[in-house]
Amino acid sequence: MSIITVRNLRKEFKVSKHHRGMMGTLRNLTTREFTLVKAVDNIDFTIARGELVGYLGPNGAGKSTTIKMLTGLLTPTGGEVVVNGRVPHQQRQLYVQRIGAVFGQRTTLWWDLPVIESLELLRHIYRVPPDRYRQNLHEFTSLLEMESFLNTPVRSLSLGQRMRADICAALLHDPDLLFLDEPTIGLDVVAKERIREFVRHINSARGVTILLTTHDMADVERLCSRVMIIDHGRLLYDGRLQTLQDRFGGKRELVVDFAEPYPEVTVPGATLTHYHDLRATYEFERQTISASELIGLLSTQYRIRDLSVREPDIEGTIRRIYQEGLLTGDA
Amino acid sequence: MWHTLLLYRRLMSVQMRSQMQYRTAFVLETLSTAVIVAVEFGSVALVLNRFGGIQGWTLAEVAFLYGMSETAFGFMDMIFAGFDPPVFGQHVRRGTFDQLLLRPVNITAQVMGSEFTLRRLGKIALGVAIFAFAVQANQIIWTPLKLAYLPIVMFSLFLFFGGLFIIGATITFWTVDSIEVMNILTYGSSFTIDYPMTIYPDWIRRFFTFVVPVIFLSYYPALYFLDRPELAEAPPFAPFLSPVVGIGLLLALRFWHFGIRRYQSTGT
Amino acid sequence: MTFHSTTGRIARCPSQYLYPTMRLFWEFTVRSFQRHLTYRAAAVAGLVTNFFFGILRVSVLLAILGEQESIEGYGRAELFTYMALTQAIITYLSLFGWYDLMNAVHSGEIATDLLKPMGFVSFWLARDVGRAAVALLLRGVVIMALYSLFFDMVHPTSVAQVTAVAVSLILALLISFGFRFLLNLSAFWSPNARGIGRFGFTISWFFSGFLMPLAFFPAWVQQIAYLTPFPYALNVIVEIYTGQLTGPALWQTLCIQLLWGLLLFTLAHVTLRTAVKRLVILGG
């Protein structure tokens, strides 16, 4: 059963033109021209209950406009959004009772209050029954290791602590759906991992549907089986991350340590990029030859001491997709 | 509704506690809001005292207008601080307003609960003191009607200023650049009604009668309370319109909701 | 500890830093000019608001004047001029508050500023002169022109008087800068410097003649006011502009302005040095 249904969703903005420079400033004084910007241009997708989906795209691609429409902050220009059985922008106050949202860049907590008092206040805002509140609070604070700073004012928390407090705050009222925007931004490796662990937990153990927007591909790799990619307002890809990697992953690398020196070590289907001191590096494409075929080929001709395959990183793949517009042809 | 009110009270107490955390700063800021009123009224008092009044109004009579305006505006500025146009404009630009929209509580109550500037107590205290001086020095002939009407006038004036703040806040959905013009309506009307309206050019008096009808909340009621001779020339109902004008707040709220709807369709 | 070397530098003769200071001044002027043009809506809004409040303020003064020809040398034309000048000068002297230095202290930016190869006070003065120049040209002059369009005002009648007004304006900025700088330095001692600043600016409105022309106050208040530097930042400009101050009295006034300016500037230097020393001892 789907929790989010989006059909032909569009959002257009009128943007007034600004001319630059001295003459431009003078032109701005006299005329007012508008251009129509299609921030979101005919998107369709559905998300099933319990899914954990990554929503990716470069800055200004239409990501946050989509999220704002899904959360009821923006009214669409056209198309249809139904989330959790409601139309967000029409029934905002009722609708937001059942969702949670975390914006990594800014906190929803009260700056001068101890964390626990902010949470207490949110309990009243969302009218969480006292028992349920205690239960959730206990579970989240221990999973997120928040006990040590529950009584610290938010303004004196570290970024990682603040993020954990914000995530906890967004979940106290048992939302069906959680929007996570850059939940690991600016954190160190350990803190990132802790947050990912928790996100995975609430998704699998509590069945909370999660829509994650992030620039950190490690988040996506660890958490999302499904990703959607948006650019220039259009949905370019919706599917498994691995499929994307298979299609656009670029070259893989095989590093081989030979047991004895050979004068000539080239093999068909792969390019030798480096050969020095018994160690050779080959580049190969998964469409041309598979890793096992390549290893098979090499081991019939040479004595090999050790080898390893290096996969291209997803970060690079995604960057190439944006920069080279690899997906624009498909849509 | 009950839930909203309780929640507003909670949000308000959070604001108060946050401000009290920095005790010295709080005391200083409270004093400074008082000092501003003291210095401004002091300079008026010194001059009026030297020249024996202004257009037939004694210092004590001016103090009646002055105290009323400062007290009502002070209370409004404390309670409606969330709607203070430049402050609210910042919330919209920084996205903190969006965060309020994401909560399942009446948005107006949340904005009101987002700021509560307790330091205005300094201004309020001074306003009350000036008003008390005026009441004492003018030897007002109190009637039951006057006694009953005084709180109504004060409350209407308070609501009226609140309405102006709400209108100003709503305008920031469209523009923050020219929001300074709102000062004409808010601080402008508060300054104007510090003095008898007869001192101003006709167009200003008309502006504050028909466009921003604050004249019915201060000047005309004051004529009635002080039994001023100008009362004879004024329309007989003029001093008693204050509850009607105070409800202008409802119009402001209509505009506010219209603004939110527009904000939802355009973003910023 | 890095501040030690700078402490010495602050007091040094500023001439070798003249070029960077001039550059800085120019940069700031150009930048504020551009900003002003970009935010034209804000500029127009500011102008309209300024004009409106000016009319409210002058209405009070005219009502006090009533049927009389003039009070203490202020007739209708002089009152219009007083109102126009004080409204035009608000941004030039940052009368409604200036907390830039305070913010730099609280944010810690000050540390890098102290390391810059020029006198610290001169650095801030250059910034402020740039800011003030733009405020005077783009706001002050426009406001004066606007008011003279609508009202009968008194204007300087001779080249000498115009020169006197110009000199007085420059000296007023020096006094105002010194006062604001000192007020901002309180941030080195107190985390609540903003409150202190607000007090200071409020007091300055009263004594400078911004709330009422000083001549309207009882004599004893005027005597107290003239013991402070504030009238020399504002009230005397009006009196020179309207021709109430002439001859030896004018010369004397300009000299006192210069003295206050130098005194406050020196005081700023000395206080800064104490402040920095404190910063070094406390380790920031």
Side-chain angles (χ1 to χ4, degrees), chain A residues 11 13 68 71-75 89 92-93 96-97 99 101 103 106-110 112-113 117 121-122 124-127 155, chain B residues 3 7 10-11 14-15 17-18 21-22 94-96 98-107 110 260-261 263-267:
Chain A
K11 183 71 208 178
F13 293 113
K68 279 186 174 178
T71 48
L73 294 175
L74 267 183
T75 310
H89 59 274
R92 185 180 45 77
Q93 209 175 309
V96 294
Q97 173 74 41
I99 65 164
F103 298 98
R106 47 175 191 262
T107 181
T108 51
L109 305 170
W110 284 260
D112 288 316
L113 283 192
E117 286 191 44
L121 209 51
L122 285 165
H124 291 290
I125 286 177
Y126 287 93
R127 302 186 226 202
R155 59 165 192 275
Chain B
H3 173 248
L7 198 73
R10 272 181 215 284
L11 292 172
V14 165
Q15 290 299 324
R17 263 183 303 153
S18 317
Q21 277 180 15
Y22 311 94
R94 286 193 189 143
T96 32
D98 283 353
Q99 293 183 338
L100 301 188
L101 285 174
L102 284 173
R103 291 183 184 146
V105 181
N106 177 290
I107 188 67
Q110 284 196 75
I260 292 178
R261 268 201 305 283
Y263 171 70
Q264 279 186 283
S265 66
T266 57

Side-chain angles (χ1 to χ4, degrees), chain A residues 273-317:
Chain A
T273 52
H274 212 260
Y275 182 39
H276 179 70
D277 216 16
L278 293 178
R279 169 169 287 196
T281 309
Y282 300 91
E283 268 186 8
F284 63 105
E285 308 231 16
R286 69 180 79 229
Q287 288 94 335
T288 329
I289 190 166
S290 76
S292 62
E293 284 171 318
L294 186 59
I295 294 166
L297 264 174
L298 283 165
S299 55
T300 53
Q301 295 176 37
Y302 312 106
R303 285 212 312 130
I304 293 170
R305 202 163 51 79
D306 197 8
L307 46 77
S308 64
V309 180
R310 250 187 252 152
E311 292 290 337
D313 66 325
I314 185 80
E315 196 91 49
T317 310

Side-chain angles (χ1 to χ4, degrees), chain C residues 173-207:
Chain C
L173 181 66
L174 188 65
I175 295 173
S176 152
F177 171 77
F179 168 65
R180 285 181 280 128
F181 194 90
L182 280 166
L183 212 50
N184 273 254
L185 282 183
S186 62
F188 277 99
W189 282 271
S190 166
N192 308 310
R194 233 189 148 80
I196 298 171
R198 230 171 265 165
F199 271 112
F201 285 112
T202 310
I203 299 298
S204 79
W205 297 344
F206 182 81
F207 286 120

Side-chain angles (χ1 to χ4, degrees), chain C residues 64 66 107 123 132 145 150 158 165 190 208 213 231 245 268 281 284:
Chain C
I64 291 167
S107 71
F123 165 80
F150 286 90
S158 65
V165 170
S190 166
S208 65
L245 266 180
I281 292 164

